[in-house]
């Protein structure tokens, strides 16, 4: 089926997933760490080693999902 990422996000359990970019929806428990980049941006490192850039507009959502300031 074809559906938007927003539609998929709305059907997932609240708090289990967080949208960190317009094309990245990640499971919170799979986040290993958040690394700062030199220009003020951030990268989420997943438990499998994948690195995903965090959109500036999604930082607050990520912070709330992790329960810590990022």
């Amino acid at each position: 089926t074809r559906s938007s990422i927003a539609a998929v996000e709305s059907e997932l359990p609240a708090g289990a997933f967080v949208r960190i970019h317009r094309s990245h929806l990640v499971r919170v428990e799979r986040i290993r760490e958040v690394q700062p980049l030199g220009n003020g941006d951030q990268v989420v490192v997943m438990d499998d080693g994948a690195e995903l850039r965090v959109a500036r507009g999604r930082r607050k959502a990520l912070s709330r999902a992790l329960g810590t300031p990022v």
Side-chain angles (χ1 to χ4, degrees), residues 14-59:
F17 291 83
V18 62
R19 191 164 176 183
I20 61 167
H21 192 274
R22 71 182 222 174
S23 59
H24 301 303
L25 184 63
V26 298
R27 188 173 190 98
V28 174
E29 68 182 28
R30 297 292 184 118
I31 296 173
R32 183 186 329 159
E33 64 180 307
V34 179
Q35 295 180 342
L37 296 177
N39 58 1
D41 290 338
Q42 297 172 325
V43 170
V44 166
V45 180
M46 303 303 291
D47 62 359
D48 66 354
E51 296 183 359
L52 305 170
R53 185 171 227 127
V54 179
R56 291 183 182 183
R58 304 286 181 172
R59 286 183 188 172

